[in-house]
Amino acid sequence: MRLAAFAALAACAALAQAQDSAREIQRYRQMIAEGSPAELFEVEGEALWKKPEGPKKVSLERCDLGEGPGVLKGAYAHLPRYFKDADSVMDLETRLLHCMTTLQGRSREEATRRVFGSADRPSEFESLSAYIAAQSRGVRIAPGMSHPKEKASYELGRALYFHRVGAWDFSCASCHGDEGKRIRMQELPVLYKPEAARPVIATWPAYRVSTSQLVTLQWRMNDCYRQMRTPEPTFASETTVALIHFLTATARGETYHGPGNKR
Amino acid sequence: MSRLALLLALVTLPALGDPTPQDVQKVMQRDFHGRGQAGMDRVVQDGVQRLCTESHDRPPAELAKALQADQMKTIAYPQGSLLGDWQRGEAIAQSGRGLTWNDKPGDAAGGSCYNCHELSPQELSHGTLGPSLRGFGRTRGASPEVQHYVYGKIYNAKAYNLCSQMPRLGASGTLTPEQIKDLVALLLDPASPVNR
């Protein structure tokens, strides 16, 4: 089923990019034969999770994603959530960065040098996200909603969603505010409504066929703000976490079944 | 306190506990950084953005009227004809470039019109955030009044509809007066594919 859906997506993308289609089709065929491309990132992510890194030469295997040190099963489906050791609400990527700086002793500058990758060279955050998210398949989405900081983060996310700003006066709701709207041919989910948020959040992070990349929610927030003509939101900032928290809370109750595939 | 200020004060009363637009702006000033041509001045809301945020895009009528009148004053009409070249207009309507942090400053921007509107029937890949503009000149005509309206609408959509989702493409410095004239021609020239 996953494969069939992916094959349909890949076929569309191959059609859309007629230029070097023959080579591309060959590449997709090969990837389909090997499984969903997201699975390749999951394999890479597992290796990175276990690889000693940083001045302390330790792996991330003792990283606590909220379910206890090293526990991956269901961890992604329960993020973002409040972490006492950092006294803040964190999504997956923010927590990974936290573990890179604390457990591995890496500097924030070094660890965030390449938070979004390219088709040739994925970012470690992308592969790690694919691997960790996959361990939540079949688990109900239930981000933290009880700690006062979790409530504040959710409220901030909702306020950000409707906040009109930037050179073109957009809010998220300018494009994701009304049913049945499109930008060019791309359908725009109304993400403050559970019906629309559920299938979207249940499949991120995702393999993006049009750019051959594994993309994360931090990337998605970044690229939507780029289209909004604002300056750049800082990776793992309270703003990006709050938006992801708001969207994930809106999708709560859905069973996680990613990493998925996108256009 | 003027009537306007009073009204403004009334709509700015936040729901208890919810972050106000002022709070959100402070968070954004801390969490964003300038990149390329997209500087931090862009996270500071102007009056239109502030009121539309506060009222969830449904501003009180009287206040909307007053602020629309202010927006109207930003529109600078060029001398002479407002009808440019529809062929250049088509290319400008197609392009979604401009003002993002990875657009090179100084490079020509586009209007992103097809992102949101149907225009020429030949272009099937069009968005639906805005109404279809197909046959616009055929139904509205191309009188000086219509030219004046279309030029103004593209220059500053908020002068006509305060919380419109359409960007202020002239007032924001995205499009030049020449480019806007070309777009007026795309919408109104009888020879334009929009009207054929």
Side-chain angles (χ1 to χ4, degrees):
Chain A
M1 186 48 221
R2 265 162 70 84
L3 268 183
F6 171 70
L9 257 176
C12 291
L15 276 177
Q17 290 163 343
Q19 319 94 302
D20 45 357
S21 53
R23 214 185 50 210
E24 283 295 286
I25 289 170
Q26 182 52 37
R27 216 157 73 86
Y28 288 129
R29 282 212 177 110
Q30 194 185 336
M31 287 197 290
I32 290 164
E34 290 164 1
S36 164
E39 284 163 24
L40 302 180
F41 289 87
E42 291 168 28
V43 172
E44 173 71 21
E46 180 172 10
L48 279 172
W49 178 256
K50 296 177 175 165
K51 187 177 166 211
E53 272 292 353
K56 297 194 188 165
K57 286 265 167 277
V58 295
S59 76
L60 289 167
E61 286 165 296
R62 298 298 295 160
C63 179
D64 183 352
L65 298 172
E67 306 291 308
V71 180
L72 295 182
K73 175 78 193 157
Y76 180 68
H78 300 150
L79 291 167
R81 69 197 285 174
Y82 175 77
F83 286 89
K84 202 160 182 226
D85 58 8
D87 190 28
S88 61
V89 176
M90 296 173 153
D91 69 333
L92 175 59
E93 290 160 88
T94 306
R95 189 62 186 171
L96 283 171
L97 177 58
H98 175 84
C99 289
M100 288 170 186
T101 54
T102 54
L103 287 179
Q104 297 183 320
R106 298 164 62 181
S107 74
R108 205 178 166 89
E109 292 79 73
E110 180 273 322
T112 56
R113 207 161 283 153
R114 227 169 151 277
V115 291
F116 309 130
S118 58
D120 313 337
R121 222 181 115 221
S123 148
E124 60 186 320
F125 286 94
E126 294 162 349
S127 306
L128 284 166
S129 295
Y131 169 58
I132 294 159
Q135 316 306 311
S136 278
R137 258 179 236 140
V139 180
R140 288 263 192 111
I141 294 170
M145 295 289 284
S146 51
H147 189 277
K149 289 216 172 173
E150 291 171 339
K151 289 183 186 154
S153 167
Y154 170 87
E155 296 298 344
L156 174 62
R158 187 172 58 186
L160 280 159
Y161 192 90
F162 294 102
H163 190 81
R164 299 195 64 169
V165 70
W168 281 13
D169 314 319
F170 288 142
S171 74
C172 308
S174 296
C175 295
H176 303 283
D178 287 313
E179 311 288 343
K181 299 288 185 185
R182 297 192 326 245
I183 287 253
R184 290 277 184 165
M185 297 309 275
Q186 292 148 41
E187 283 170 24
L188 298 165
V190 182
L191 295 164
Y192 71 92
K193 297 201 174 154
E195 318 83 86
R198 284 177 163 182
V200 166
I201 294 302
T203 51
W204 278 82
Y207 180 73
R208 196 161 185 247
V209 178
S210 55
T211 55
S212 315
Q213 278 171 281
L214 195 291
V215 285
T216 64
L217 277 173
Q218 284 283 338
W219 173 82
R220 187 66 264 175
M221 299 304 103
N222 182 281
D223 203 58
C224 279
Y225 272 119
R226 185 184 60 79
Q227 296 181 66
M228 289 167 74
R229 276 78 183 171
T230 66
E232 187 174 39
T234 300
F235 179 80
S237 60
E238 208 175 304
T239 292
T240 54
V241 173
L243 270 170
I244 292 167
H245 195 180
F246 170 63
L247 299 178
T248 310
T250 305
R252 68 184 176 273
E254 185 75 6
T255 301
Y256 183 72
H257 59 268
N261 296 297
K262 304 277 168 188
R263 166 191 86 86
Chain B
M1 201 152 141
S2 78
R3 248 162 87 85
L4 205 70
L6 191 69
L7 266 169
L8 201 56
L10 276 178
V11 285
T12 55
L13 283 178
L16 217 66
D18 283 353
T20 64
Q22 288 90 329
D23 298 334
V24 172
Q25 181 163 308
K26 273 197 209 109
V27 168
M28 292 183 80
Q29 283 171 325
R30 185 197 59 200
D31 286 354
F32 283 61
H33 51 266
R35 178 169 167 187
Q37 61 175 300
M40 283 301 285
D41 52 315
R42 293 193 193 173
V43 303
V44 178
Q45 285 186 315
D46 75 351
V48 173
Q49 295 174 338
R50 177 61 53 86
L51 177 62
C52 294
T53 300
E54 277 162 353
S55 66
H56 269 233
D57 294 339
R58 280 181 290 275
E62 197 161 337
L63 206 47
K65 229 171 93 191
L67 293 195
Q68 278 173 206
D70 292 345
Q71 291 299 302
M72 201 61 91
K73 290 183 209 136
T74 68
I75 306 173
Y77 289 93
Q79 297 291 310
S81 167
L82 296 177
L83 275 183
D85 171 347
W86 69 260
Q87 282 175 316
R88 284 198 308 251
E90 169 69 16
I92 297 161
Q94 288 283 359
S95 165
R97 284 178 191 286
L99 261 54
T100 74
W101 66 63
N102 52 21
D103 289 310
K104 256 211 246 113
D107 277 6
S112 283
C113 315
Y114 279 106
N115 279 2
C116 299
H117 295 284
E118 179 183 28
L119 293 111
S120 307
Q122 286 85 341
E123 180 53 88
L124 299 174
S125 172
H126 63 78
T128 57
L129 280 173
S132 172
L133 302 174
R134 201 168 152 182
F136 194 88
R138 218 171 40 220
T139 49
R140 310 277 182 111
S143 65
E145 292 73 41
V146 176
Q147 291 178 31
H148 199 259
Y149 163 61
V150 173
Y151 187 95
K153 180 74 188 174
I154 300 169
Y155 194 95
N156 188 339
K158 271 70 174 180
Y160 304 82
N161 172 2
L162 194 71
C163 298
S164 175
Q165 303 303 341
M166 176 163 158
R168 293 172 277 189
L169 291 158
S172 62
T174 308
L175 299 176
T176 65
E178 268 324 295
Q179 288 180 303
I180 299 178
K181 281 163 59 174
D182 293 337
L183 288 164
V184 174
L186 178 68
L187 262 62
L188 301 183
D189 192 323
S192 155
V194 169
N195 298 314
R196 271 191 289 129

